[in-house]
């Protein structure tokens, strides 16, 4: 199935969580001079126009990024949002929030000359947009292929350092099992990489099963950060989302401990968060 288009959801509450965590991790990685590889297994189009018909259909960004955007110049802006918001400002330099960056654009904004990126996307239109966006960037290679399969062919990377974002649409339930199988192989080949796995909260039973599978996979040092804007409920759609971080930067837990309560207050009137060490180091 290739029906999923992220433009419908660009800049929603899940993107705010996912992309603020991603930017914190990337900012930590570039503190060392050694090069690293950024891998995006389900890259999407790379950048989204919030004025487009797709983005305006449900206006999910109004309940997401538009709520945190004003904090950019605020004196009390949480530390965990600053790098993310500065990237948004770079894309929207005139002060109005018209463009929303996908994870590939955000990664490009922080890559140094010694770093590289590999982006994978199966959807033909999304791939075309992604390819056009990075056509002149020699550090970034874009491929129209299955990101789960491509990931394991890349590992271990020549750079010996990598940040891997695994962000499937979960439009078919087998994505969850494919994720676990791919992650086991990847971790066995390259256990020191930083892996970021995004998941939606639609059915709590599925989320619980994903957590158990991660905990039983023989993977060490796993941190979970989950933000829900509404209580779990059947047939309520996506009530929240989470990030599972394998080998998180040592200060990430503290940054998220400060950030998550802010996100709950900004993005929801009745939300909650979880910040939990799923597996010890």
């Amino acid at each position: 199935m290739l029906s999923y288009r992220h433009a419908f959801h660009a800049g929603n509450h899940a993107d705010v969580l996912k992309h603020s965590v991603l930017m914190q991790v990337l900012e930590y990685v570039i503190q060392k001079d050694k090069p690293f590889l950024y891998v995006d297994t389900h890259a999407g189009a790379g950048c989204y126009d919030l004025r487009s018909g797709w983005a305006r259909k449900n206006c999910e960004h109004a309940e997401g990024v538009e709520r945190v955007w004003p904090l950019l110049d605020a004196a009390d802006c949480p530390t965990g949002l600053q790098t993310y918001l500065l990237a948004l400002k770079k894309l929207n330099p005139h002060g109005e929030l018209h463009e929303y960056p996908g994870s590939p654009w955000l990664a490009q904004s922080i890559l140094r000359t010694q770093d590289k990126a590999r982006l994978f996307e199966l959807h033909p239109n999304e791939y075309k947009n992604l390819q056009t966006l990075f056509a002149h960037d020699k550090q970034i290679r874009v491929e129209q292929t299955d990101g789960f399969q491509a990931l394991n062919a890349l590992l271990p990377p020549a750079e010996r350092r990598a940040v891997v974002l695994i962000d499937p649409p979960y439009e078919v339930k087998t994505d969850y099992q494919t994720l676990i199988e791919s992650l086991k192989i990847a971790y066995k080949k390259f256990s020191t990489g930083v892996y970021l796995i995004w998941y939606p909260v639609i059915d709590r039973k599925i989320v619980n099963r994903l957590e158990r599978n991660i905990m039983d996979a023989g993977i060490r040092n796993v941190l979970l950060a989950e933000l829900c804007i509404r209580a779990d409920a059947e047939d309520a759609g996506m009530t929240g989302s989470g990030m599972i971080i394998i080998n998180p930067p040592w200060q990430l837990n503290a940054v998220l401990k400060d950030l998550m309560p802010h996100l709950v207050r900004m993005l929801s009137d009745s939300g909650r968060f979880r910040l939990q060490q799923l597996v010890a180091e």
Side-chain angles (χ1 to χ4, degrees), residues 31 33-34 56 91 112 144 153 204 214 259 266:
Q31 290 178 15
D33 292 334
K34 295 180 180 180
R56 292 178 64 83
L91 185 58
R112 306 158 300 176
Q144 187 180 11
R204 180 55 65 181
I214 292 285
L259 175 62
M266 288 183 289

Side-chain angles (χ1 to χ4, degrees), residues 28-273:
Y28 171 82
V29 169
I30 64 171
Q31 290 178 15
K32 294 184 178 180
D33 292 334
K34 295 180 180 180
F36 78 97
L37 176 68
Y38 173 75
V39 182
D40 204 323
T41 62
H42 299 77
C47 194
Y48 306 92
D49 185 351
L50 296 180
R51 299 162 294 181
S52 71
W54 285 336
R56 292 178 64 83
K57 183 174 181 179
N58 296 320
C59 290
E60 292 187 22
H61 53 276
E63 303 300 316
V65 65
E66 287 188 6
R67 292 193 176 190
V68 300
W69 171 248
L71 285 176
L72 175 62
D73 299 315
D76 58 347
C77 179
T79 301
L81 278 179
Q82 290 172 2
T83 305
Y84 167 61
L85 291 176
L86 285 172
L88 288 177
K89 183 177 182 180
K90 183 178 179 180
L91 185 58
N92 299 274
H94 302 298
E96 294 187 13
L97 188 62
H98 290 157
E99 303 287 333
Y100 188 79
S103 48
W105 192 98
L106 290 169
Q108 185 199 39
S109 73
I110 211 166
L111 292 181
R112 306 158 300 176
T113 56
Q114 65 266 44
D115 305 320
K116 295 180 181 179
R118 298 286 295 273
L119 312 177
F120 304 100
E121 177 55 48
L122 264 178
H123 194 290
N125 290 331
E126 300 284 77
Y127 166 73
K128 182 179 179 181
N129 292 334
L130 190 68
Q131 188 180 48
T132 299
L133 185 62
F134 299 114
H136 303 293
D137 192 327
K138 295 182 179 179
Q139 289 177 263
I140 297 177
R141 181 175 171 180
V142 180
E143 298 179 53
Q144 187 180 11
T145 190
D146 182 277
F148 285 129
Q149 296 179 9
L151 171 62
N152 294 304
L154 290 176
L155 303 178
E159 294 85 356
R160 308 305 300 182
R161 302 174 73 223
V163 174
V164 179
L165 177 62
I166 305 175
D167 177 23
Y170 300 100
E171 61 180 344
V172 291
K173 289 185 178 180
T174 54
D175 279 350
Y176 289 93
Q177 188 57 41
T178 304
L179 163 65
I180 295 298
E181 293 171 357
S182 179
L183 190 58
K184 286 180 179 179
I185 297 171
Y187 187 79
K188 185 175 182 179
K189 296 180 70 174
F190 186 55
S191 63
T192 58
V194 180
Y195 298 89
L196 309 176
I197 298 102
W198 177 85
Y199 65 88
V201 178
I202 299 173
D203 183 332
R204 180 55 65 181
K205 294 189 295 295
I206 293 177
V207 174
N208 290 341
R209 188 181 308 123
L210 173 64
E211 291 181 28
R212 288 196 301 270
N213 287 338
I214 292 285
M215 295 169 68
D216 293 340
I219 297 171
R220 307 298 300 170
N221 196 12
V222 183
L223 178 68
L224 178 145
E226 182 181 285
L227 171 67
C228 291
I229 62 169
R230 297 186 300 276
D232 294 349
E234 292 185 7
D235 302 321
M238 185 173 70
T239 58
S241 68
M243 294 290 285
I244 294 172
I245 307 113
I246 299 170
N247 296 323
W250 67 269
Q251 78 272 45
L252 184 64
N253 197 332
V255 171
L256 292 180
K257 187 175 182 180
D258 173 71
L259 175 62
M260 298 297 282
H262 288 284
L263 290 181
V264 170
R265 287 194 294 270
M266 288 183 289
L267 299 177
S268 172
D269 296 325
S270 58
R272 67 189 191 284
F273 75 91

